[in-house]
Amino acid sequence: MKNTDSVISFINKTPKSELHLHIEGSLEPELMFKLSKRNKIEIPFKSVDEIRSAYNFTNLDSFLKIYYEGSNVLITEEDFFDLTWEYILRCKNDNIVHTEIFFDPQSHTSRGINFSDIVNGIYKALTKANNEFRITSKIIMCFLRHLDEESCFAILKEAVNHKDKIIGVGLDSSEKGNPPKKFKRLFEEAIKEGFLTVAHAGEEGPPEYIWDSLNLLKVKRIDHGVQCLKDDKLVNNLKENNIPLTVCPLSNIKLRVFDKLENHNLKKMLDAGLRVMVNSDDPAYFGGYLNTNLIETSKALNLSLDEVKILIQNSFKSSFLDEKSKNFWLNKI
Ligand code: HPA
Ligand code: ZN
C-alpha cells in the first residue's frame, strides 16, 4: 500500500472530532431549494446547479453575502432540525464522534425568527444524534462582529435562557475593521454568565487580532489563526499556553487566504509545535466535509501518518469534552 493510501484509510476509519463548523454553512443547495419551496421564500436561483455555480468567492465578505442570503430559507424549528440532522448524517459518514457547532442567531432573529426555535431545532437533532449514533456535541453561539455591541448584548440575554444547551460564545463574520476590542465588555459579561469563549481571529485579520482575542476576550481557542506565523512572539505565546487553532484548509483556499492547498501553512504550524487541527468551517460552500479536508490537505502537504494522527489527537484534546471522554477517544487513535 502506498503511503498516501494508508493515510487516507487511516483518516476514513479513525474516530474524529470537529471543532469549527457553522451549522448554516452545512446548508446544501438541495436543502436550500427544498426549504425555499416549503417556506415560500424567494431565492435568486432557479436550480440547485445555479446555486452551486454561484459559489465563486474572492474573499471572506464575498462569501458572507451569499451565506447570509442562503440562511434566509431557515424559518421554523423543523428547518433548523433538518439542517442539523443532515450535518449529523455527514458526521456519521465521516466517522465524526464528537462535534462542536456554531450558529449565528443574529442572522435569523433579525428576520423575525424566534431564538428558541433556532436553538431547540438544533438541540433536538443533536439529542437524536446522541441517542441513535452516540455522537456527542456542544453548541457555541456566535456573535456577528459586523453588528454593534448593543445587538450582541441583546442576543447574549437570549442565550442566558438556554444555558443548558449552549456551552460557549464565539465571534464570526467580517473580520477586517471589526477588532476584538469592540467586544471586550460583551465577552466579560458572557464569561460572568458562565459561557466559555472562542473567537475567529487571524483568518484575514492581523496577528494583533489574535493577541486581543487572547488578552481581551479570554478565549480558550482561536478559530482559524493562520496569520499567527507572521509574529514569532505570538507563536511562542500560543505554544506555551497550548492554545488550539481550529484551522480550516479548504475554506482558506475558497476564500483566497492562500492561493492553493500546496501553499497552505498548516504543516509549518505543525512544525512550529502549535496545537492545530483540521475542520470544515462551511462545508456546503467550500467543497467538502471533514474527511475531504483531511485527505486533500494530507495529499497537498504530503503529511505523514504521524502528522495526521497529531491533527486528530489535537482535535479531541482541544474539545470541550470532559477529561474522561477525551482520554477514551485518544486511546482509540
Ligand atoms: N469566517 C468568519 N465568519 C464566518 C465564517 C468564517 O470562516 N464562516 C461563517 N461565518
Ligand atoms: Zn468559521
Side-chain angles (χ1 to χ4, degrees):
M1 199 156 54
K2 273 193 4 225
N3 188 37
T4 46
D5 291 341
S6 58
V7 169
I8 293 170
S9 146
F10 179 78
I11 290 170
N12 284 325
K13 69 168 198 260
T14 305
K16 287 168 298 287
S17 138
E18 175 150 67
L19 306 181
H20 186 154
L21 178 282
H22 301 262
I23 200 65
E24 295 91 345
S26 71
L27 177 60
E28 289 287 342
E30 287 77 9
L31 184 59
M32 194 191 293
F33 219 72
K34 184 174 141 190
L35 295 183
S36 80
K37 292 219 160 66
R38 182 156 100 191
N39 293 324
K40 301 185 178 57
I41 303 285
E42 290 255 358
I43 52 170
F45 309 106
K46 284 198 231 37
S47 67
V48 164
D49 286 345
E50 222 181 84
I51 302 178
R52 275 218 170 81
S53 60
Y55 293 173
N56 278 312
F57 314 116
T58 50
N59 57 18
L60 175 58
D61 276 355
S62 70
F63 155 69
L64 289 171
K65 185 174 175 291
I66 297 226
Y67 163 85
Y68 294 130
E69 264 171 25
S71 296
N72 286 343
V73 301
L74 298 162
I75 308 289
T76 63
E77 182 184 304
E78 186 190 7
D79 299 340
F80 287 94
F81 177 92
D82 290 349
L83 172 71
T84 309
W85 187 248
E86 281 209 355
Y87 166 65
I88 287 299
L89 295 179
R90 303 278 186 163
C91 287
K92 184 163 183 286
N93 200 48
D94 273 6
N95 208 357
I96 294 174
V97 294
H98 177 71
T99 181
E100 304 192 354
I101 68 171
F102 296 130
F103 74 114
D104 285 340
Q106 287 156 300
S107 66
H108 312 303
T109 53
S110 62
R111 301 179 286 109
I113 311 301
N114 279 329
F115 188 95
S116 23
D117 286 347
I118 309 167
V119 186
N120 290 337
I122 297 170
Y123 189 74
K124 281 181 187 171
L126 295 178
T127 304
K128 182 171 152 127
N130 190 240
N131 291 338
E132 293 192 10
F133 307 140
R134 295 274 138 226
I135 293 174
T136 55
S137 56
K138 307 283 179 197
I139 301 178
I140 299 170
M141 178 184 83
C142 279
F143 300 109
L144 299 184
R145 68 200 306 158
H146 66 274
L147 298 178
D148 60 24
E149 202 192 21
E150 194 186 342
S151 156
C152 295
F153 266 106
I155 213 76
L156 175 61
K157 218 168 156 190
E158 299 257 22
V160 167
N161 299 322
H162 295 271
K163 270 191 203 168
D164 55 329
K165 306 176 202 91
I166 302 171
I167 192 169
V169 298
L171 191 61
D172 67 2
S173 191
S174 259
E175 189 181 7
K176 285 181 179 166
N178 293 299
K181 65 171 185 272
K182 184 174 161 188
F183 301 102
K184 183 175 181 285
R185 288 187 338 131
L186 176 74
F187 273 60
E188 277 168 2
E189 183 64 24
I191 291 167
K192 257 193 222 151
E193 288 290 357
F195 293 108
L196 299 173
T197 62
V198 297
H200 282 55
E203 177 184 13
E204 287 184 342
E208 181 198 346
Y209 286 14
I210 302 178
W211 278 118
D212 285 353
S213 299
L214 296 169
N215 295 331
L216 306 180
L217 308 185
K218 313 284 180 209
V219 296
K220 303 276 184 224
R221 297 195 295 244
I222 295 285
D223 295 312
H224 292 293
V226 291
Q227 304 298 337
C228 72
L229 292 189
K230 291 177 176 164
D231 180 338
D232 292 343
K233 255 194 177 164
L234 175 60
V235 170
N236 282 338
N237 184 294
L238 292 166
K239 224 163 65 177
E240 273 164 23
N241 294 301
N242 265 329
I243 303 292
L245 303 156
T246 65
V247 177
C248 307
L250 290 181
S251 163
N252 293 152
I253 303 310
K254 285 279 179 197
L255 303 188
R256 305 201 192 168
V257 175
F258 300 94
D259 61 348
K260 53 181 177 177
L261 209 44
E262 286 75 8
N263 290 338
H264 196 285
N265 67 359
L266 178 76
K267 177 142 166 57
K268 289 196 185 89
M269 293 172 92
L270 263 176
D271 291 344
L274 290 166
R275 188 175 275 196
V276 285
M277 84 295 300
V278 166
N279 305 272
S280 70
D281 206 5
D282 301 282
Y285 292 88
F286 298 152
Y289 288 77
L290 183 58
N291 284 4
T292 307
N293 268 272
L294 277 164
I295 291 168
E296 294 300 316
T297 307
S298 305
K299 281 194 208 159
L301 302 180
N302 212 2
L303 299 183
S304 67
L305 189 61
D306 281 345
E307 286 168 326
V308 172
K309 244 185 220 178
I310 290 170
L311 291 171
I312 297 175
Q313 286 164 342
N314 281 348
S315 188
F316 284 109
K317 284 183 191 168
S318 310
S319 72
F320 295 142
L321 280 167
D322 59 43
E323 290 306 309
K324 191 167 161 238
S325 311
K326 282 185 192 180
N327 288 331
F328 174 84
W329 291 117
L330 287 169
N331 281 330
K332 299 235 171 226
I333 299 164

